[in-house]
Amino acid sequence: MPGDLATFHGLPVVDFTGGGDLHEAASVAWRVSGGGDRDQSFEETWQQFLQAVDLAGVRALVFGGWADTYEFDPAPILDLAVATADRLTGLRAFHFGDISYKESDISWIRQTDVTPLLRAYPLLERFEARGGPGMAVSPLRHTSLQYLEFESAGLPAQVARGLCASELPALKELELWLGVRKYGGDTTVADLAALLSGESFPALRHLGLLNSKRQDEIATAAAEAPVVAQLRSLALSMGTLSDTGAAALLSGRSLTHLKWLDLQHHYLSAAMMRRLRDALEPSGVEIDLSHGRQDPGDSKRRYVALSR
């Protein structure tokens, strides 16, 4: 079953099926999947891919579903790409875990330490991963990465800590879907301290801290964070942002230099939304306040956009 991605790294995503006419290697983002209700295992599909495609020309690669995503440690799947790094010399973008909700809830997708993949591809510019349990990143130096995204219903704190301790001088865009504690989302503001200080990633221009039950706390920290001064866009969306967090944003460091502020899926009052627009839109800031939710009053009853 295909995953969710239609395009990746500016290229159309095409499922590798092992048969029929093949596209020019560099013209598409190849999605490799296997196991589950498919006719063959991921490993078998991968071996066919290695034999059928001009590997040196591959620019973007997507690993889709594999067997037993909810209980199987996918390190052996990731190792397939690591072992082929000397042949995938043109690879610049990699997505690990393009598994649709029809196949598995995101909270059920087991992940693994992705550091070996990042180290194996020093020219990689874009990396994205989807899942949660088992996801990890160890501190590393990578001089080519420009875009990182970790989609999760519960991001382990180890990921944030590993990233904050890494040297990523080219990183321009970072998105972390933090999720909820029930599914392993134990990342706190303290774990993000080095990131918010602006010391970690000097080239960063877009920061997304998304899908969090702690969205007010994160917004309050972001309001005083030195990193905001270097950003062109900030996303604090998909979470439980209320008037408390929005008020902190308005009273903190200036946001008028931003081109875009993404707050969609929120619990803001009509009065607070007007305050945000009045304060920022005259300076040219585009604000996304769509998908507002009625505040139940009790913060425990607020929910994030993606929690399963």
Side-chain angles (χ1 to χ4, degrees), residues 114-196:
V114 300
T115 315
L117 187 284
L118 297 176
R119 287 180 172 153
Y121 291 89
L123 299 181
L124 201 68
E125 298 170 358
R126 185 184 191 104
F127 179 79
E128 300 180 27
R130 179 182 298 170
M135 186 180 288
V137 180
S138 298
L140 77 157
R141 175 172 172 79
H142 197 298
T143 59
S144 299
L145 278 172
Q146 299 179 30
Y147 185 99
L148 279 174
E149 182 172 352
F150 292 86
E151 300 179 15
S152 181
L155 191 73
Q158 199 280 336
V159 176
R161 294 171 189 156
L163 287 175
C164 286
S166 295
E167 294 183 56
L168 307 173
L171 189 65
K172 296 179 180 179
E173 301 181 61
L174 173 65
E175 293 211 339
L176 302 177
W177 297 27
L178 302 175
V180 300
R181 182 174 291 276
K182 178 180 179 181
Y183 296 117
D186 57 351
T187 303
T188 67
V189 168
D191 297 318
L192 302 168
L195 167 62
L196 295 173

Side-chain angles (χ1 to χ4, degrees), residues 66 69-70 97 99 104-111 130-133:
W66 50 82
T69 57
Y70 57 91
I99 301 169
S104 175
D105 289 342
I106 191 171
S107 61
W108 284 21
I109 302 172
R110 286 197 57 81
Q111 268 289 350
R130 179 182 298 170

Side-chain angles (χ1 to χ4, degrees), residues 1-6 13 31 33 38 62-66 95-100 103 109 130:
M1 185 179 296
D4 286 333
L5 290 177
V13 175
R31 178 163 49 213
S33 305
R38 302 172 180 85
V62 176
F63 274 15
W66 50 82
H95 188 292
F96 188 47
D98 182 34
I99 301 169
S100 76
E103 291 184 273
I109 302 172
R130 179 182 298 170

